[in-house]
Amino acid sequence: MKKTQDKKHYDVIILGAGPAGTACALALKDANLSVALIDKANFPRDKICGDAIPGPTLKLIRKLVNDDESFSTITSKQQVTRSLIFPENGRTIDLNWKAEAYNAKRLDFDNFLFELVKEHTDTDLLIGKEIKRVEIKDFVHVYDKEDNEIASSQLILGADGANSIATRTFAKKQKAELLNGFAIRTYYSNVDCAPTTNEFYLLNKIQGYFWIFPLANNQYNVGIGFLKKQKRNSAFDVKQILQYTIQSHPTISPKFKNAKEISKPTGFKLPVGGTKRSFSGDRFLLLGDAAHLIDPLQGHGIDKAIESGILAAEQVVSCFEQNQFNAKFLRTYDAAIESNIEHSLRRNLRIMKILYRFPWVVRISASIVHFNSTFLLSVFYKK
């Protein structure tokens, strides 16, 4: 790992070494730019998530590193070939996948991406650096929690997750328009679920779904997600809903008869896409969860994060070729996000609201074989 001096000036600073930030660093590996990747954690580190790695993710990674074998280094992954979707009081929707997809703990997956950056790029890694604030003056200036300036740059890319300091700094006016879902996750062993099958349970009484995702070594990621965070003073808070579902739901609870919980339930915010907003401004771009790119229907954002990292890298290269870093020039990135990612998120947000408001639509669609194999395939997953 490279050592860096305090207050070093870079062409580009990337805040956050998750999928969006690491993908961007990998995409810039041949750009002949000085790049710093900053993260408050030391790797490997956990990231609260459903741990599902959608098929498009692997294609993007292999394109970035031109290596079909690199993903095999994650020995803890579990390949998934099938999804079962259970509407309440309806027929089960059975989807079999030709596309390659896996479940893997983010502890392992994110560290895999981080190691790719170390192996394939000359990125300066400022790890274990918690950022307190970011300012744009003549350049971008980044300060640590002691308020010491640690770096400056021409551009800053905010890839620092759901609680992004970049988003709080640069997108304050958009805050009221942004949509945040909420989920809670725990790990179990010995759940009665096929090791190659992801299970989704659509629950009528809440705007959300319960999931069981198998991992390696007889472990399972179990959780429940909502369009909006449940109020703690409501009839159930989120932990109560999770436990009640596991213990009392007539379809779900039998699967946990011999199961053992091996971690504490932990909640996390879901910065959902599909609402109108900007992804850039003077000297900054927002990526991944910081840009609210989680699919509102499917609940995943890893593939969108990596794709946004690649699109951001393309914009960065263009900025330095033209020596332009202003908001007007950076709107090209907004257009790229819109055409490649955001239009589908907006569609899925509309569909999600319809399904949550009228759950009988899912039950009816599940009973129609041809509808099931076309529409539902496109709605819940993409090959």
Side-chain angles (χ1 to χ4, degrees):
M1 184 182 299
K2 281 191 174 182
K3 294 182 178 180
T4 59
Q5 297 178 351
D6 290 343
K7 300 184 182 180
K8 184 172 179 178
H9 184 76
Y10 296 91
D11 294 319
V12 183
I13 291 174
I14 304 172
L15 287 185
T22 51
C24 188
L26 287 166
L28 289 172
K29 66 182 185 296
D30 299 320
N32 196 30
L33 298 173
S34 60
V35 179
L37 181 61
I38 304 177
D39 198 285
K40 66 180 180 180
N42 291 295
F43 283 70
R45 58 96 176 100
D46 190 21
K47 169 70 167 63
I48 308 169
C49 179
D51 294 335
I53 313 297
T57 305
L58 307 183
K59 294 180 181 179
L60 292 169
I61 293 171
R62 287 166 177 159
K63 182 179 179 181
L64 282 171
V65 297
N66 193 27
D67 183 358
D68 290 338
E69 302 300 323
S70 62
F71 192 67
S72 64
T73 60
I74 303 180
T75 57
S76 61
K77 64 184 179 297
Q78 172 62 54
Q79 187 166 11
V80 179
T81 60
R82 183 187 187 202
S83 290
L84 293 176
I85 302 168
F86 299 91
E88 294 241 59
N89 306 316
R91 186 175 177 180
T92 302
I93 302 162
D94 190 342
L95 303 176
N96 291 282
W97 304 109
K98 294 181 181 179
E100 189 180 7
Y102 293 86
N103 297 331
K105 289 185 178 181
R106 291 290 296 276
L107 178 76
D108 301 316
F109 179 72
D110 285 19
N111 191 60
F112 156 73
L113 295 176
F114 183 70
E115 290 295 323
L116 288 181
V117 173
K118 290 169 64 176
E119 179 183 354
H120 293 278
T121 79
D122 292 325
T123 304
D124 273 9
L125 303 173
L126 281 63
I127 304 305
K129 297 282 188 181
E130 186 173 351
I131 302 306
K132 178 181 179 179
R133 63 187 177 95
V134 179
E135 287 185 348
I136 296 180
K137 295 182 282 189
D138 50 341
F139 300 111
V140 181
H141 300 266
V142 177
Y143 300 84
D144 65 14
K145 62 181 181 180
E146 283 80 29
D147 213 32
N148 297 314
E149 182 177 350
I150 61 171
S152 61
S153 64
Q154 293 275 17
L155 281 174
I156 188 163
L157 311 187
D160 47 336
N163 298 307
S164 165
I165 189 171
T167 302
R168 296 198 306 269
T169 302
F170 302 124
K172 293 179 182 178
K173 295 180 181 179
Q174 300 183 54
K175 188 174 181 180
E177 302 173 7
L178 298 176
L179 180 61
N180 286 301
F182 187 79
I184 189 167
R185 173 217 75 179
T186 187
Y187 289 111
Y188 274 81
S189 63
N190 207 36
V191 179
D192 185 14
C193 175
T196 59
T197 301
N198 282 349
E199 296 187 359
F200 301 81
Y201 296 83
L202 308 183
L203 306 176
N204 285 351
K205 294 183 180 180
I206 62 169
Q207 290 189 357
Y209 65 82
F210 178 93
W211 72 77
I212 303 173
F213 294 166
L215 299 162
N217 305 316
N218 193 31
Q219 294 187 19
Y220 296 81
N221 185 309
V222 175
I224 192 166
F226 309 88
L227 174 59
K228 294 182 180 179
K229 184 174 181 178
Q230 307 297 296
K231 296 179 180 178
R232 294 194 65 85
N233 60 358
S234 62
F236 296 103
D237 69 21
V238 289
K239 289 185 179 180
Q240 288 177 321
I241 294 172
L242 177 67
Q243 293 304 319
Y244 179 84
T245 303
I246 291 172
Q247 296 169 6
S248 304
H249 191 281
T251 304
I252 296 170
S253 60
K255 293 181 173 290
F256 290 84
K257 182 179 180 180
N258 299 310
K260 180 181 179 181
E261 191 172 26
I262 56 178
S263 72
K264 292 182 179 180
T266 309
F268 58 106
K269 186 166 67 174
L270 297 171
V272 172
T275 58
K276 188 175 181 180
R277 62 206 180 282
S278 175
F279 306 100
S280 66
D282 289 328
R283 294 191 182 275
F284 79 89
L285 304 174
L286 299 178
L287 293 65
D289 284 5
H292 278 244
L293 295 180
I294 287 181
D295 190 303
L297 186 63
Q298 303 175 50
H300 65 72
I302 293 175
D303 53 338
K304 309 302 182 188
I306 290 178
E307 188 172 6
S308 71
I310 295 171
L311 294 173
E314 293 173 357
Q315 178 64 56
V316 167
V317 171
S318 180
C319 285
F320 281 93
E321 287 177 345
Q322 302 296 321
N323 196 31
Q324 294 283 344
F325 309 99
N326 58 69
K328 183 178 180 180
F329 189 81
L330 289 167
R331 285 177 196 152
T332 307
Y333 174 70
D334 288 52
I337 292 290
E338 170 63 32
S339 61
N340 289 277
I341 300 175
E342 186 61 25
H343 75 285
S344 65
L345 301 187
R346 197 157 41 246
R347 176 203 64 199
N348 283 359
L349 181 61
R350 291 193 297 267
I351 293 172
M352 179 203 64
K353 289 181 176 179
I354 292 171
L355 295 181
Y356 284 166
R357 187 175 180 183
F358 306 106
W360 51 266
V361 172
V362 180
R363 295 197 294 271
I364 292 174
S365 66
S367 66
I368 303 173
V369 175
H370 293 295
F371 190 82
N372 175 13
S373 63
T374 55
F375 173 76
L376 285 167
L377 186 68
S378 68
V379 167
F380 285 94
Y381 278 99
K382 293 180 182 179
K383 288 188 177 182

